[in-house]
Short mmCIF file of all heavy atoms in Angstrom, two decimals:
data_model
loop_
_atom_site.label_atom_id
_atom_site.label_comp_id
_atom_site.label_asym_id
_atom_site.label_seq_id
_atom_site.Cartn_x
_atom_site.Cartn_y
_atom_site.Cartn_z
N MET A 3 11.96 -29.28 75.79
CA MET A 3 13.35 -29.04 76.10
C MET A 3 13.79 -27.76 75.40
O MET A 3 13.59 -27.59 74.21
CB MET A 3 14.21 -30.22 75.64
CG MET A 3 15.63 -30.09 76.09
SD MET A 3 16.71 -31.49 75.61
CE MET A 3 15.77 -32.90 76.15
N LYS A 4 14.36 -26.86 76.16
CA LYS A 4 14.80 -25.56 75.63
C LYS A 4 16.31 -25.57 75.43
O LYS A 4 17.04 -26.11 76.25
CB LYS A 4 14.41 -24.48 76.64
CG LYS A 4 14.70 -23.09 76.18
CD LYS A 4 14.21 -22.08 77.22
CE LYS A 4 14.62 -20.68 76.82
NZ LYS A 4 14.26 -19.70 77.84
N GLU A 5 16.76 -24.97 74.33
CA GLU A 5 18.20 -24.89 74.07
C GLU A 5 18.73 -23.54 74.51
O GLU A 5 18.15 -22.50 74.21
CB GLU A 5 18.50 -25.09 72.59
CG GLU A 5 20.00 -25.02 72.31
CD GLU A 5 20.34 -25.32 70.86
OE1 GLU A 5 19.94 -26.39 70.38
OE2 GLU A 5 20.99 -24.48 70.25
N ILE A 6 19.84 -23.56 75.25
CA ILE A 6 20.53 -22.35 75.65
C ILE A 6 21.81 -22.28 74.83
O ILE A 6 22.69 -23.12 74.97
CB ILE A 6 20.87 -22.37 77.16
CG1 ILE A 6 19.60 -22.57 78.01
CG2 ILE A 6 21.61 -21.10 77.56
CD1 ILE A 6 18.58 -21.47 77.89
N ALA A 7 21.90 -21.28 73.95
CA ALA A 7 23.05 -21.16 73.05
C ALA A 7 24.17 -20.36 73.71
O ALA A 7 23.91 -19.34 74.35
CB ALA A 7 22.63 -20.49 71.75
N ILE A 8 25.39 -20.85 73.55
CA ILE A 8 26.56 -20.14 74.09
C ILE A 8 27.50 -19.79 72.96
O ILE A 8 27.51 -20.45 71.92
CB ILE A 8 27.28 -20.99 75.17
CG1 ILE A 8 27.79 -22.32 74.59
CG2 ILE A 8 26.38 -21.22 76.37
CD1 ILE A 8 28.65 -23.12 75.55
N LYS A 9 28.29 -18.73 73.16
CA LYS A 9 29.23 -18.28 72.14
C LYS A 9 30.64 -18.81 72.40
O LYS A 9 31.48 -18.78 71.52
CB LYS A 9 29.29 -16.75 72.12
CG LYS A 9 27.99 -16.11 71.73
CD LYS A 9 28.11 -14.60 71.78
CE LYS A 9 26.77 -13.96 71.44
NZ LYS A 9 26.80 -12.50 71.56
N THR A 10 30.89 -19.26 73.63
CA THR A 10 32.22 -19.71 74.01
C THR A 10 32.29 -21.23 74.00
O THR A 10 31.28 -21.91 73.80
CB THR A 10 32.56 -19.19 75.43
OG1 THR A 10 31.54 -19.64 76.33
CG2 THR A 10 32.62 -17.67 75.44
N GLU A 11 33.48 -21.78 74.25
CA GLU A 11 33.65 -23.23 74.25
C GLU A 11 32.82 -23.91 75.33
O GLU A 11 32.26 -24.98 75.14
CB GLU A 11 35.11 -23.59 74.44
CG GLU A 11 35.39 -25.07 74.45
CD GLU A 11 36.85 -25.40 74.72
OE1 GLU A 11 37.67 -24.47 74.78
OE2 GLU A 11 37.15 -26.58 74.88
N TYR A 12 32.75 -23.26 76.50
CA TYR A 12 31.98 -23.82 77.62
C TYR A 12 31.38 -22.69 78.44
O TYR A 12 31.71 -21.52 78.25
CB TYR A 12 32.86 -24.71 78.52
CG TYR A 12 33.96 -23.96 79.23
CD1 TYR A 12 33.72 -23.37 80.46
CD2 TYR A 12 35.22 -23.82 78.68
CE1 TYR A 12 34.71 -22.66 81.12
CE2 TYR A 12 36.22 -23.13 79.32
CZ TYR A 12 35.96 -22.56 80.55
OH TYR A 12 36.94 -21.87 81.19
N ILE A 13 30.50 -23.06 79.35
CA ILE A 13 29.88 -22.11 80.27
C ILE A 13 29.80 -22.81 81.62
O ILE A 13 29.64 -24.03 81.69
CB ILE A 13 28.49 -21.69 79.75
CG1 ILE A 13 27.88 -20.59 80.62
CG2 ILE A 13 27.56 -22.87 79.68
CD1 ILE A 13 26.61 -19.99 80.01
N THR A 14 29.94 -22.04 82.70
CA THR A 14 29.83 -22.66 84.02
C THR A 14 28.35 -22.85 84.37
O THR A 14 27.48 -22.16 83.84
CB THR A 14 30.51 -21.81 85.10
OG1 THR A 14 29.81 -20.58 85.23
CG2 THR A 14 31.98 -21.59 84.79
N LEU A 15 28.11 -23.76 85.28
CA LEU A 15 26.74 -24.04 85.69
C LEU A 15 26.08 -22.79 86.29
O LEU A 15 24.91 -22.52 86.02
CB LEU A 15 26.71 -25.20 86.70
CG LEU A 15 25.33 -25.60 87.23
CD1 LEU A 15 24.38 -25.95 86.09
CD2 LEU A 15 25.47 -26.77 88.19
N GLY A 16 26.81 -22.01 87.05
CA GLY A 16 26.27 -20.78 87.64
C GLY A 16 25.83 -19.80 86.56
O GLY A 16 24.75 -19.21 86.64
N GLN A 17 26.66 -19.63 85.52
CA GLN A 17 26.30 -18.75 84.41
C GLN A 17 25.11 -19.31 83.64
O GLN A 17 24.22 -18.57 83.21
CB GLN A 17 27.49 -18.61 83.46
CG GLN A 17 28.66 -17.86 84.04
CD GLN A 17 29.88 -17.94 83.14
OE1 GLN A 17 30.14 -18.97 82.52
NE2 GLN A 17 30.63 -16.86 83.08
N PHE A 18 25.10 -20.62 83.50
CA PHE A 18 24.00 -21.28 82.78
C PHE A 18 22.66 -21.04 83.47
O PHE A 18 21.65 -20.76 82.82
CB PHE A 18 24.28 -22.78 82.67
CG PHE A 18 23.18 -23.54 82.00
CD1 PHE A 18 23.16 -23.66 80.62
CD2 PHE A 18 22.17 -24.12 82.74
CE1 PHE A 18 22.13 -24.34 79.99
CE2 PHE A 18 21.15 -24.80 82.12
CZ PHE A 18 21.12 -24.91 80.75
N LEU A 19 22.66 -21.14 84.80
CA LEU A 19 21.41 -20.94 85.54
C LEU A 19 20.86 -19.53 85.33
O LEU A 19 19.66 -19.33 85.22
CB LEU A 19 21.63 -21.20 87.02
CG LEU A 19 21.91 -22.65 87.39
CD1 LEU A 19 22.30 -22.75 88.87
CD2 LEU A 19 20.70 -23.53 87.11
N LYS A 20 21.75 -18.55 85.23
CA LYS A 20 21.32 -17.18 84.98
C LYS A 20 20.82 -17.03 83.54
O LYS A 20 19.77 -16.44 83.30
CB LYS A 20 22.46 -16.19 85.24
CG LYS A 20 22.04 -14.75 85.13
CD LYS A 20 23.14 -13.82 85.59
CE LYS A 20 22.71 -12.38 85.57
NZ LYS A 20 22.34 -11.88 84.28
N LEU A 21 21.54 -17.57 82.57
CA LEU A 21 21.12 -17.49 81.17
C LEU A 21 19.78 -18.17 80.93
O LEU A 21 19.00 -17.73 80.10
CB LEU A 21 22.17 -18.16 80.27
CG LEU A 21 23.25 -17.29 79.68
CD1 LEU A 21 24.15 -18.12 78.78
CD2 LEU A 21 22.68 -16.13 78.92
N SER A 22 19.52 -19.24 81.65
CA SER A 22 18.27 -19.98 81.47
C SER A 22 17.13 -19.39 82.30
O SER A 22 16.04 -19.95 82.32
CB SER A 22 18.48 -21.45 81.83
OG SER A 22 18.86 -21.57 83.20
N ASP A 23 17.39 -18.27 82.98
CA ASP A 23 16.39 -17.58 83.81
C ASP A 23 15.90 -18.40 85.00
O ASP A 23 14.81 -18.17 85.51
CB ASP A 23 15.18 -17.13 82.97
CG ASP A 23 15.54 -16.02 82.00
OD1 ASP A 23 16.43 -15.21 82.34
OD2 ASP A 23 14.92 -15.95 80.93
N CYS A 24 16.71 -19.34 85.45
CA CYS A 24 16.36 -20.10 86.65
C CYS A 24 16.66 -19.26 87.90
O CYS A 24 16.05 -19.47 88.94
CB CYS A 24 17.14 -21.41 86.70
SG CYS A 24 16.63 -22.58 85.43
N ILE A 25 17.62 -18.34 87.79
CA ILE A 25 17.96 -17.44 88.89
C ILE A 25 18.04 -16.02 88.32
O ILE A 25 18.22 -15.84 87.12
CB ILE A 25 19.28 -17.82 89.58
CG1 ILE A 25 20.44 -17.82 88.58
CG2 ILE A 25 19.16 -19.16 90.29
CD1 ILE A 25 21.80 -18.07 89.21
N GLN A 26 17.91 -15.03 89.22
CA GLN A 26 17.92 -13.63 88.79
C GLN A 26 19.33 -13.09 88.56
O GLN A 26 19.56 -12.34 87.62
CB GLN A 26 17.21 -12.76 89.83
CG GLN A 26 15.76 -13.14 90.03
CD GLN A 26 14.93 -12.83 88.79
OE1 GLN A 26 15.11 -11.80 88.16
NE2 GLN A 26 14.05 -13.74 88.42
N THR A 27 20.26 -13.44 89.46
CA THR A 27 21.64 -12.97 89.34
C THR A 27 22.59 -14.14 89.58
O THR A 27 22.21 -15.16 90.16
CB THR A 27 21.96 -11.87 90.39
OG1 THR A 27 21.94 -12.46 91.69
CG2 THR A 27 20.96 -10.73 90.33
N GLY A 28 23.83 -13.94 89.15
CA GLY A 28 24.83 -14.99 89.35
C GLY A 28 25.11 -15.27 90.81
O GLY A 28 25.48 -16.38 91.19
N GLY A 29 24.89 -14.28 91.67
CA GLY A 29 25.10 -14.45 93.10
C GLY A 29 24.13 -15.42 93.75
O GLY A 29 24.41 -15.96 94.82
N HIS A 30 23.00 -15.68 93.10
CA HIS A 30 22.01 -16.60 93.64
C HIS A 30 22.37 -18.06 93.36
O HIS A 30 21.76 -18.97 93.92
CB HIS A 30 20.63 -16.31 93.04
CG HIS A 30 20.03 -15.03 93.51
ND1 HIS A 30 19.35 -14.19 92.68
CD2 HIS A 30 20.04 -14.43 94.72
CE1 HIS A 30 18.94 -13.13 93.36
NE2 HIS A 30 19.36 -13.25 94.60
N ALA A 31 23.35 -18.29 92.51
CA ALA A 31 23.68 -19.66 92.07
C ALA A 31 24.05 -20.56 93.25
O ALA A 31 23.57 -21.69 93.34
CB ALA A 31 24.81 -19.64 91.06
N LYS A 32 24.89 -20.08 94.15
CA LYS A 32 25.33 -20.90 95.28
C LYS A 32 24.14 -21.37 96.12
O LYS A 32 24.02 -22.56 96.42
CB LYS A 32 26.29 -20.10 96.15
CG LYS A 32 26.81 -20.85 97.34
CD LYS A 32 27.79 -20.01 98.13
CE LYS A 32 28.32 -20.76 99.34
NZ LYS A 32 29.26 -19.94 100.10
N PHE A 33 23.26 -20.45 96.45
CA PHE A 33 22.11 -20.80 97.29
C PHE A 33 21.11 -21.67 96.52
O PHE A 33 20.53 -22.59 97.08
CB PHE A 33 21.44 -19.53 97.81
CG PHE A 33 22.40 -18.66 98.57
CD1 PHE A 33 22.87 -17.47 98.05
CD2 PHE A 33 22.89 -19.06 99.81
CE1 PHE A 33 23.77 -16.69 98.73
CE2 PHE A 33 23.79 -18.29 100.50
CZ PHE A 33 24.24 -17.10 99.97
N PHE A 34 20.92 -21.37 95.24
CA PHE A 34 20.00 -22.15 94.42
C PHE A 34 20.46 -23.60 94.35
O PHE A 34 19.65 -24.52 94.51
CB PHE A 34 19.93 -21.55 93.01
CG PHE A 34 18.97 -22.25 92.12
CD1 PHE A 34 17.62 -21.90 92.10
CD2 PHE A 34 19.39 -23.29 91.28
CE1 PHE A 34 16.73 -22.56 91.28
CE2 PHE A 34 18.50 -23.95 90.46
CZ PHE A 34 17.17 -23.58 90.46
N LEU A 35 21.76 -23.80 94.17
CA LEU A 35 22.29 -25.16 94.04
C LEU A 35 22.26 -25.93 95.36
O LEU A 35 22.24 -27.15 95.37
CB LEU A 35 23.71 -25.12 93.48
CG LEU A 35 23.77 -24.70 92.01
CD1 LEU A 35 25.20 -24.42 91.58
CD2 LEU A 35 23.14 -25.76 91.12
N GLN A 36 22.26 -25.21 96.49
CA GLN A 36 22.15 -25.87 97.79
C GLN A 36 20.74 -26.37 98.05
O GLN A 36 20.53 -27.33 98.77
CB GLN A 36 22.56 -24.90 98.91
CG GLN A 36 24.04 -24.62 98.95
CD GLN A 36 24.40 -23.55 99.98
OE1 GLN A 36 23.55 -22.82 100.47
NE2 GLN A 36 25.68 -23.46 100.30
N GLU A 37 19.75 -25.72 97.43
CA GLU A 37 18.35 -26.02 97.72
C GLU A 37 17.64 -26.80 96.63
O GLU A 37 16.54 -27.29 96.84
CB GLU A 37 17.59 -24.72 97.98
CG GLU A 37 18.11 -23.97 99.19
CD GLU A 37 17.44 -22.61 99.37
OE1 GLU A 37 16.58 -22.26 98.54
OE2 GLU A 37 17.79 -21.92 100.33
N ASN A 38 18.24 -26.88 95.43
CA ASN A 38 17.58 -27.54 94.31
C ASN A 38 18.50 -28.59 93.68
O ASN A 38 19.71 -28.50 93.77
CB ASN A 38 17.22 -26.50 93.24
CG ASN A 38 16.22 -25.50 93.76
OD1 ASN A 38 15.03 -25.79 93.86
ND2 ASN A 38 16.71 -24.33 94.13
N THR A 39 17.88 -29.55 93.04
CA THR A 39 18.62 -30.61 92.38
C THR A 39 18.85 -30.26 90.91
O THR A 39 17.92 -29.86 90.21
CB THR A 39 17.85 -31.94 92.46
OG1 THR A 39 17.63 -32.26 93.83
CG2 THR A 39 18.62 -33.06 91.79
N VAL A 40 20.10 -30.40 90.48
CA VAL A 40 20.45 -30.19 89.07
C VAL A 40 21.10 -31.48 88.58
O VAL A 40 22.03 -32.00 89.20
CB VAL A 40 21.41 -29.00 88.89
CG1 VAL A 40 21.84 -28.87 87.44
CG2 VAL A 40 20.76 -27.71 89.37
N VAL A 41 20.59 -32.00 87.47
CA VAL A 41 21.12 -33.23 86.89
C VAL A 41 21.73 -32.89 85.53
O VAL A 41 21.06 -32.31 84.67
CB VAL A 41 20.00 -34.29 86.73
CG1 VAL A 41 20.55 -35.54 86.07
CG2 VAL A 41 19.40 -34.61 88.09
N ILE A 42 23.01 -33.24 85.38
CA ILE A 42 23.71 -32.96 84.12
C ILE A 42 24.08 -34.29 83.48
O ILE A 42 24.80 -35.09 84.07
CB ILE A 42 24.98 -32.12 84.38
CG1 ILE A 42 24.58 -30.81 85.06
CG2 ILE A 42 25.72 -31.86 83.08
CD1 ILE A 42 25.74 -30.04 85.64
N ASN A 43 23.55 -34.52 82.31
CA ASN A 43 23.79 -35.77 81.56
C ASN A 43 23.53 -37.00 82.43
O ASN A 43 24.28 -37.96 82.42
CB ASN A 43 25.22 -35.79 81.00
CG ASN A 43 25.46 -34.67 80.02
OD1 ASN A 43 24.56 -34.26 79.30
ND2 ASN A 43 26.68 -34.16 80.01
N GLY A 44 22.46 -36.94 83.23
CA GLY A 44 22.05 -38.07 84.04
C GLY A 44 22.69 -38.18 85.41
O GLY A 44 22.39 -39.11 86.16
N GLU A 45 23.60 -37.25 85.77
CA GLU A 45 24.26 -37.29 87.07
C GLU A 45 24.01 -36.00 87.84
O GLU A 45 24.18 -34.91 87.29
CB GLU A 45 25.77 -37.48 86.89
CG GLU A 45 26.15 -38.80 86.28
CD GLU A 45 27.67 -38.97 86.18
OE1 GLU A 45 28.40 -38.23 86.85
OE2 GLU A 45 28.09 -39.85 85.42
N ALA A 46 23.62 -36.12 89.10
CA ALA A 46 23.39 -34.95 89.94
C ALA A 46 24.70 -34.21 90.18
O ALA A 46 25.75 -34.83 90.38
CB ALA A 46 22.77 -35.37 91.27
N ASP A 47 24.64 -32.89 90.11
CA ASP A 47 25.84 -32.07 90.32
C ASP A 47 25.42 -30.72 90.88
O ASP A 47 24.47 -30.12 90.39
CB ASP A 47 26.59 -31.87 89.01
CG ASP A 47 28.04 -31.47 89.22
OD1 ASP A 47 28.35 -30.82 90.23
OD2 ASP A 47 28.88 -31.81 88.37
N ASN A 48 26.09 -30.23 91.91
CA ASN A 48 25.74 -28.93 92.49
C ASN A 48 26.93 -27.98 92.51
O ASN A 48 26.94 -27.03 93.28
CB ASN A 48 25.15 -29.11 93.89
CG ASN A 48 26.16 -29.69 94.86
OD1 ASN A 48 27.24 -30.10 94.47
ND2 ASN A 48 25.80 -29.71 96.13
N ARG A 49 27.91 -28.21 91.65
CA ARG A 49 29.08 -27.33 91.58
C ARG A 49 28.80 -26.19 90.60
O ARG A 49 28.64 -26.44 89.41
CB ARG A 49 30.31 -28.11 91.12
CG ARG A 49 30.71 -29.21 92.07
CD ARG A 49 31.83 -30.01 91.50
NE ARG A 49 31.34 -30.74 90.31
CZ ARG A 49 32.14 -31.25 89.40
NH1 ARG A 49 33.43 -31.15 89.50
NH2 ARG A 49 31.63 -31.89 88.36
N ARG A 50 28.77 -24.96 91.10
CA ARG A 50 28.45 -23.84 90.21
C ARG A 50 29.55 -23.59 89.19
O ARG A 50 29.32 -22.96 88.17
CB ARG A 50 28.14 -22.58 91.00
CG ARG A 50 29.28 -22.09 91.83
CD ARG A 50 28.87 -20.91 92.65
NE ARG A 50 29.87 -20.71 93.69
CZ ARG A 50 30.07 -19.60 94.30
NH1 ARG A 50 29.32 -18.58 94.01
NH2 ARG A 50 30.99 -19.50 95.22
N GLY A 51 30.75 -24.10 89.44
CA GLY A 51 31.85 -23.95 88.49
C GLY A 51 31.94 -25.08 87.47
O GLY A 51 32.83 -25.07 86.62
N ARG A 52 31.02 -26.03 87.54
CA ARG A 52 31.01 -27.14 86.61
C ARG A 52 30.92 -26.61 85.17
O ARG A 52 30.08 -25.79 84.87
CB ARG A 52 29.82 -28.06 86.91
CG ARG A 52 29.41 -29.02 85.82
CD ARG A 52 30.33 -30.21 85.73
NE ARG A 52 30.03 -31.04 84.57
CZ ARG A 52 29.33 -32.18 84.63
NH1 ARG A 52 28.87 -32.62 85.77
NH2 ARG A 52 29.10 -32.87 83.54
N LYS A 53 31.80 -27.08 84.30
CA LYS A 53 31.81 -26.61 82.92
C LYS A 53 30.81 -27.39 82.10
O LYS A 53 30.79 -28.62 82.14
CB LYS A 53 33.21 -26.77 82.33
CG LYS A 53 34.24 -25.87 82.97
CD LYS A 53 35.61 -26.10 82.39
CE LYS A 53 36.64 -25.23 83.08
NZ LYS A 53 38.00 -25.50 82.61
N LEU A 54 30.00 -26.67 81.35
CA LEU A 54 29.02 -27.27 80.46
C LEU A 54 29.43 -26.98 79.02
O LEU A 54 29.79 -25.86 78.69
CB LEU A 54 27.63 -26.68 80.73
CG LEU A 54 27.10 -26.83 82.15
CD1 LEU A 54 25.80 -26.06 82.31
CD2 LEU A 54 26.91 -28.28 82.52
N TYR A 55 29.36 -28.01 78.19
CA TYR A 55 29.75 -27.89 76.79
C TYR A 55 28.53 -28.12 75.90
O TYR A 55 27.52 -28.69 76.34
CB TYR A 55 30.84 -28.92 76.46
CG TYR A 55 32.12 -28.70 77.23
CD1 TYR A 55 32.32 -29.30 78.47
CD2 TYR A 55 33.11 -27.87 76.73
CE1 TYR A 55 33.48 -29.09 79.19
CE2 TYR A 55 34.28 -27.66 77.44
CZ TYR A 55 34.47 -28.27 78.67
OH TYR A 55 35.62 -28.05 79.37
N ALA A 56 28.64 -27.71 74.65
CA ALA A 56 27.55 -27.92 73.69
C ALA A 56 27.19 -29.40 73.66
O ALA A 56 28.06 -30.26 73.64
CB ALA A 56 27.98 -27.44 72.31
N GLY A 57 25.89 -29.67 73.71
CA GLY A 57 25.40 -31.04 73.69
C GLY A 57 25.04 -31.58 75.07
O GLY A 57 24.38 -32.61 75.17
N ASP A 58 25.47 -30.89 76.14
CA ASP A 58 25.12 -31.33 77.49
C ASP A 58 23.63 -31.12 77.74
O ASP A 58 23.05 -30.14 77.30
CB ASP A 58 25.93 -30.57 78.55
CG ASP A 58 27.37 -31.04 78.66
OD1 ASP A 58 27.68 -32.12 78.13
OD2 ASP A 58 28.17 -30.33 79.28
N LYS A 59 23.03 -32.04 78.48
CA LYS A 59 21.62 -31.96 78.86
C LYS A 59 21.56 -31.62 80.35
O LYS A 59 22.20 -32.28 81.17
CB LYS A 59 20.92 -33.29 78.60
CG LYS A 59 19.47 -33.30 79.00
CD LYS A 59 18.85 -34.67 78.73
CE LYS A 59 17.44 -34.74 79.27
NZ LYS A 59 16.88 -36.09 79.14
N VAL A 60 20.80 -30.58 80.69
CA VAL A 60 20.73 -30.10 82.07
C VAL A 60 19.27 -30.09 82.52
O VAL A 60 18.44 -29.45 81.90
CB VAL A 60 21.32 -28.67 82.18
CG1 VAL A 60 21.31 -28.21 83.63
CG2 VAL A 60 22.73 -28.61 81.60
N GLU A 61 18.99 -30.81 83.62
CA GLU A 61 17.65 -30.82 84.20
C GLU A 61 17.71 -30.06 85.51
O GLU A 61 18.45 -30.43 86.42
CB GLU A 61 17.20 -32.26 84.47
CG GLU A 61 17.13 -33.11 83.22
CD GLU A 61 16.84 -34.56 83.51
OE1 GLU A 61 15.95 -34.82 84.36
OE2 GLU A 61 17.52 -35.43 82.94
N VAL A 62 16.93 -28.98 85.61
CA VAL A 62 16.94 -28.14 86.79
C VAL A 62 15.58 -28.27 87.49
O VAL A 62 14.54 -27.95 86.90
CB VAL A 62 17.19 -26.66 86.42
CG1 VAL A 62 17.26 -25.81 87.67
CG2 VAL A 62 18.48 -26.53 85.61
N GLU A 63 15.62 -28.74 88.73
CA GLU A 63 14.40 -28.93 89.51
C GLU A 63 13.61 -27.62 89.59
O GLU A 63 14.15 -26.59 89.96
CB GLU A 63 14.77 -29.41 90.91
CG GLU A 63 13.59 -29.61 91.83
CD GLU A 63 14.04 -29.99 93.24
OE1 GLU A 63 15.24 -29.95 93.54
OE2 GLU A 63 13.15 -30.34 94.02
N GLY A 64 12.36 -27.67 89.23
CA GLY A 64 11.49 -26.51 89.33
C GLY A 64 11.68 -25.48 88.22
O GLY A 64 11.02 -24.45 88.21
N CYS A 65 12.56 -25.75 87.27
CA CYS A 65 12.83 -24.79 86.20
C CYS A 65 12.67 -25.41 84.81
O CYS A 65 12.16 -24.77 83.91
CB CYS A 65 14.23 -24.21 86.38
SG CYS A 65 14.53 -22.74 85.43
N GLY A 66 13.10 -26.64 84.62
CA GLY A 66 12.92 -27.29 83.34
C GLY A 66 14.11 -28.09 82.88
O GLY A 66 15.07 -28.28 83.62
N VAL A 67 14.02 -28.56 81.63
CA VAL A 67 15.08 -29.36 81.02
C VAL A 67 15.65 -28.55 79.84
O VAL A 67 14.90 -28.02 79.03
CB VAL A 67 14.53 -30.71 80.51
CG1 VAL A 67 15.64 -31.52 79.86
CG2 VAL A 67 13.90 -31.48 81.67
N PHE A 68 16.97 -28.50 79.78
CA PHE A 68 17.64 -27.67 78.78
C PHE A 68 18.77 -28.47 78.11
O PHE A 68 19.27 -29.44 78.67
CB PHE A 68 18.29 -26.44 79.45
CG PHE A 68 17.34 -25.62 80.27
CD1 PHE A 68 17.15 -25.89 81.62
CD2 PHE A 68 16.64 -24.58 79.69
CE1 PHE A 68 16.28 -25.13 82.38
CE2 PHE A 68 15.77 -23.81 80.44
CZ PHE A 68 15.59 -24.09 81.79
N THR A 69 19.16 -28.00 76.94
CA THR A 69 20.37 -28.49 76.31
C THR A 69 21.26 -27.28 76.05
O THR A 69 20.78 -26.16 75.86
CB THR A 69 20.10 -29.20 74.97
OG1 THR A 69 19.45 -28.30 74.09
CG2 THR A 69 19.30 -30.45 75.16
N VAL A 70 22.56 -27.51 76.04
CA VAL A 70 23.52 -26.46 75.74
C VAL A 70 23.83 -26.54 74.25
O VAL A 70 24.16 -27.61 73.75
CB VAL A 70 24.81 -26.62 76.57
CG1 VAL A 70 25.79 -25.52 76.24
CG2 VAL A 70 24.49 -26.64 78.05
N GLY A 71 23.68 -25.41 73.56
CA GLY A 71 23.96 -25.37 72.12
C GLY A 71 25.00 -24.32 71.81
O GLY A 71 25.40 -23.55 72.67
N ARG A 72 25.48 -24.31 70.59
CA ARG A 72 26.47 -23.32 70.12
C ARG A 72 25.79 -22.33 69.21
O ARG A 72 24.95 -22.69 68.41
CB ARG A 72 27.61 -24.00 69.35
CG ARG A 72 28.61 -24.76 70.16
CD ARG A 72 29.43 -23.87 71.06
NE ARG A 72 30.44 -23.12 70.38
CZ ARG A 72 31.73 -23.36 70.48
NH1 ARG A 72 32.17 -24.33 71.20
NH2 ARG A 72 32.59 -22.60 69.85
N GLU A 73 26.20 -21.05 69.31
CA GLU A 73 25.70 -20.02 68.38
C GLU A 73 26.49 -20.08 67.10
O GLU A 73 27.62 -20.44 67.07
CB GLU A 73 25.83 -18.64 69.00
CG GLU A 73 24.70 -18.32 69.91
CD GLU A 73 24.71 -16.85 70.33
OE1 GLU A 73 25.59 -16.08 69.91
OE2 GLU A 73 23.84 -16.49 71.10
#
């Protein structure tokens, strides 16, 4: 499980996918989420605007399992 550290209170799922290197640019988030399954804290979610906070667990199909941490 890899930790992705953020400096702000929260990060959107689209930004998270880019930070975790699951996608190349933020513009790919919409299409990536339409084609892949993302599970956040045990529940499937495909909203790129979904807010992620420190301590959230994110499982991205074909990319890995991550946790959100604070810097």
Side-chain angles (χ1 to χ4, degrees):
M3 187 178 310
K4 184 177 175 184
E5 181 176 305
I6 304 297
I8 60 173
K9 296 178 183 177
T10 56
E11 180 183 354
Y12 65 88
I13 186 171
T14 65
L15 180 56
Q17 292 171 323
F18 177 87
L19 291 172
K20 186 172 184 299
L21 267 182
S22 62
D23 291 328
C24 292
I25 58 175
Q26 298 293 319
T27 68
H30 290 140
K32 180 178 180 180
F33 304 108
F34 183 86
L35 290 169
Q36 288 174 344
E37 298 175 359
N38 296 283
T39 302
V40 176
V41 178
I42 302 167
N43 298 327
E45 294 183 17
D47 200 330
N48 64 352
R49 297 175 294 162
R50 62 184 164 158
R52 163 77 187 259
K53 293 178 182 176
L54 302 173
Y55 296 90
D58 284 346
K59 179 181 173 186
V60 183
E61 299 174 44
V62 183
E63 178 184 9
C65 195
V67 179
F68 306 90
T69 59
V70 180
R72 285 294 285 251
E73 278 190 0

